[in-house]
Amino acid sequence: MLKIFILGFIAISVLVLWNYAGRSPKNILLTKNNMPDSTKNKESGMNDKIFKTEDEWKKELSPEQYKILREKGTERAFTGKYWNNFELGTYVCAGCGTELFNSDTKFESSCGWPSYFEPIDSSRIIYREDKSFGMTRTEVICAKCGGHLGHVFEDGPPPTGLRYCINSGSMKFIPKEK
Ligand code: FE
């Protein structure tokens, strides 16, 4: 009886440790291949990419949008338009209008940026390793216009466990029609 109890205890400990290891930040890049597949872009019609010169982008975007989308800038936490917006609607790319995130995947995160657990369609996103600022992160880019949106981390809520941490300034919010 005692043996069964000890074996059961060991089995549960192993499962708990396994789960914890899978969630640790170190694993973000190790499991990058588990990220939604962005190689399907061609099949889903997302191969109509937009190319513009930097002068053209500068004319179209506000200085803040340009800084984020074209120069990989980051707005300061808790200063963007949408970190605290929980209206129903759709978030589109400020560069090209692609529908990126739905309000029903947005969650309250203490990080100060709009956070979502998944994009509307993984083919609309490109993932790239970002080693800037002495960190290793996974950058999130609009597949259509190449604009920098933010980063994705593996500390999000179910069902995906992902947190797409996106700059408000890289998006526009389209409220749902009532
Ligand atoms: Fe875009």
Side-chain angles (χ1 to χ4, degrees), residues 50 57 69 93-98 100 142-147 149:
I50 290 178
W57 282 122
L69 286 164
C93 175
C96 69
T98 296
L100 296 171
C142 172
K144 187 162 182 174
C145 72
L149 305 171

